[in-house]
Amino acid sequence: MLTSVEEELGTPKQPRNQHSQQSEAPNSLANTRAIFRQPRLQRTKPIIWCAAIMCFIFSLVLIFFGIATLILYLSMKPRNPTFDIPNASLNVVYFDSPQYLNGEFTLLANFSNPNRRIGVRFESLNIELFYSDRLVSSQTIKPFTQRPRENRLQSVNLISSLVFLPQDVGVKLQRQVENNRVNYNARGTFKVRFNIGLVHLSYSLYSTCQIEMPTHPVGIVVPRQCITNQSL
């Protein structure tokens, strides 16, 4: 009877889940506070501070030595050593056949260090002798050290044994031998090292000399043109 009366009067019903919504509101508020809660800051360990300080000091030392080396390099301005052949002689040359060369050559190599305050060390020295772009002989030289402004003369003995030459090249060489003037190309490959303070600077040099060698072993100064370049 009461239910029917309430329905007739239009009395609103109370929702059944009102109590559950009121109980979930505090839980959602607590979850929101937990999400926005700031994490606690942890203290950095002393060993991490020590490692960071050591790295910083090491970086400063590297920068200091780099700047010092650059200033020292610019103040000294190291120059490339030079290579020259002031004297050369063709001791003997003959053909077993028109295409096989035998010979003995002597070159007087001159190594110069133009730097006034820097010494230089020559390493991995190799000298090759070419005729018409054909390798006829080669020789290595023992490493040595040069003081500033020092010149060094080194006798280099080159021997050719049964070196094959094309027929036209062999004929050309025989004609030059008869005229007592043979045009050769001497090429030198050297590895040089400079000591600038605590820094060691090393690179390769390539030298080319166009020489006109007499066929008689008289040891006279021969016309030549030498160029020395640094490798890239």
Side-chain angles (χ1 to χ4, degrees):
M1 294 291 293
L2 292 175
T3 304
S4 60
V5 173
E6 291 178 352
E7 291 178 354
E8 292 177 358
L9 296 177
T11 303
K13 297 182 180 180
Q14 295 292 334
R16 297 181 180 179
N17 58 352
Q18 181 178 3
H19 178 73
S20 61
Q21 290 180 355
Q22 292 178 355
S23 61
E24 289 178 357
N27 293 333
S28 61
L29 182 60
N31 294 333
T32 305
R33 291 179 179 178
I35 293 174
F36 290 98
R37 184 178 298 172
Q38 295 294 334
R40 295 181 180 179
L41 298 178
Q42 296 181 355
R43 296 183 60 184
T44 305
K45 296 181 180 180
I47 188 172
I48 298 178
W49 281 109
C50 292
I53 294 173
M54 293 296 296
C55 291
F56 179 72
I57 294 175
F58 182 72
S59 301
L60 291 180
V61 171
L62 286 180
I63 295 174
F64 172 77
F65 276 106
I67 296 175
T69 302
L70 179 61
I71 295 175
L72 187 63
Y73 178 85
L74 294 177
S75 62
M76 291 187 174
K77 295 180 180 179
R79 300 167 57 188
N80 290 335
T82 59
F83 170 75
D84 188 19
I85 300 178
N87 188 287
S89 62
L90 180 57
N91 299 331
V92 61
V93 58
Y94 63 93
F95 291 85
D96 278 346
S97 67
Q99 293 180 327
Y100 289 93
L101 170 68
N102 297 276
E104 182 179 356
F105 318 87
T106 301
L107 305 179
L108 185 62
N110 180 28
F111 300 91
S112 301
N113 179 16
N115 297 285
R116 295 180 297 176
R117 293 177 290 179
I118 305 176
V120 61
R121 179 169 177 79
F122 284 82
E123 300 176 344
S124 303
L125 296 93
N126 186 40
I127 296 179
E128 299 174 323
L129 190 65
F130 289 82
Y131 180 80
S132 294
D133 291 331
R134 299 278 179 171
L135 178 64
V136 297
S137 185
S138 64
Q139 183 64 273
T140 58
I141 302 176
K142 294 181 179 180
F144 60 89
T145 302
Q146 275 189 308
R147 295 188 299 270
R149 293 287 189 175
E150 182 181 3
N151 295 332
R152 178 188 175 95
L153 294 175
Q154 177 76 41
S155 180
V156 182
N157 193 37
L158 300 166
I159 298 177
S160 299
S161 179
L162 296 176
V163 177
F164 174 78
L165 295 177
Q167 185 175 1
D168 57 338
V169 177
V171 172
K172 178 182 176 181
L173 177 58
Q174 290 179 2
R175 290 177 181 176
Q176 291 186 355
V177 170
E178 294 174 356
N179 295 328
N180 197 27
R181 283 292 182 271
V182 183
N183 296 319
Y184 284 100
N185 182 5
R187 303 176 187 177
T189 305
F190 321 106
K191 183 179 180 181
V192 296
R193 187 180 68 183
F194 294 96
N195 295 327
I196 306 176
L198 299 177
V199 179
H200 303 285
L201 177 64
S202 62
Y203 52 84
S204 297
L205 294 177
Y206 297 94
S207 298
T208 302
C209 290
Q210 299 287 343
I211 58 177
E212 188 178 272
M213 191 180 301
T215 56
H216 301 295
V218 293
I220 62 175
V221 177
V222 297
R224 80 277 186 193
Q225 182 180 4
C226 296
I227 300 175
T228 301
N229 295 317
Q230 180 180 342
S231 63
L232 299 179

